[in-house]
Amino acid sequence: MNIFLETERLVLRAFTEADVDHLLALDNDPDVMRFINGGRPTSRAAIQAQTLPRLLHDYPCFGTRGYWAAEEKAAGLFLGWFELRPLDDLNPAVAELGYRLNKAAWGNGYATEGSRALIRKGFTALGVERVTANTMAVNTGSRRVMEKAGLSFLRNFSGDWPEAIEGSEHGEVEYELTRTMWEQLP
């Protein structure tokens, strides 16, 4: 197993082709996908042709991937994934933070724990100067995770939704955390 980092309760490891079934289950939970595509199902073909190649992508400026499978350390259960990827493949300065966890993992602090660990890794080992994260304005759970991870609200904006989903009329929000801000956190 190619482990990227570990926390007290999590292992973040590289995705493999064998993760298709995990991703299929995750992306076919309407509650998990509510703020992503309105809860519509995702086909196995789409997971194999679109999702998995994105998750397997290496970023030259990081010398590693930007998406990591999250497993519960004690039992080895697949919880979902975390993202810390540069916005520019060749420049590590600005990285996007993201996460998608199954419902069983919600409310246990895993999203905050994994996000904080990735932010630390980005600022201390990957050359990141600024972390950004976006979500729908109405996604209060994800916004709380961003705030608990140390990010601050930056702005509201209107996303380009190919198909409007419930809540998209309220727009999106962007949060950020700079290296300087991170260094000043308690």
Side-chain angles (χ1 to χ4, degrees), residues 108-149:
N108 293 300
Y110 291 127
T112 301
E113 184 175 327
S115 294
R116 286 178 177 165
L118 279 174
I119 289 167
R120 183 180 324 103
K121 180 95 168 180
F123 287 144
T124 62
L126 299 175
V128 174
E129 294 296 326
R130 178 177 173 257
V131 173
T132 183
N134 302 314
T135 191
M136 289 177 61
V138 295
N139 188 348
T140 56
S142 189
R143 292 179 74 165
R144 269 195 306 275
V145 169
M146 292 173 193
E147 291 165 0
K148 288 179 182 178

Side-chain angles (χ1 to χ4, degrees), residues 20-35:
V20 169
D21 288 335
H22 292 306
L23 294 167
L24 189 62
L26 184 67
D27 285 8
N28 277 287
D29 182 321
D31 291 330
V32 170
M33 300 301 288
R34 176 179 170 211
F35 296 111

Side-chain angles (χ1 to χ4, degrees), residues 54 56-68 84-93 125-127:
R54 184 188 63 194
L56 295 173
H57 180 72
D58 287 314
Y59 292 87
C61 66
F62 276 3
T64 189
R65 296 193 180 154
Y67 292 88
W68 306 97
L84 185 71
R85 66 173 181 86
L87 295 184
D88 178 338
D89 277 12
L90 302 177
N91 184 347
L126 299 175

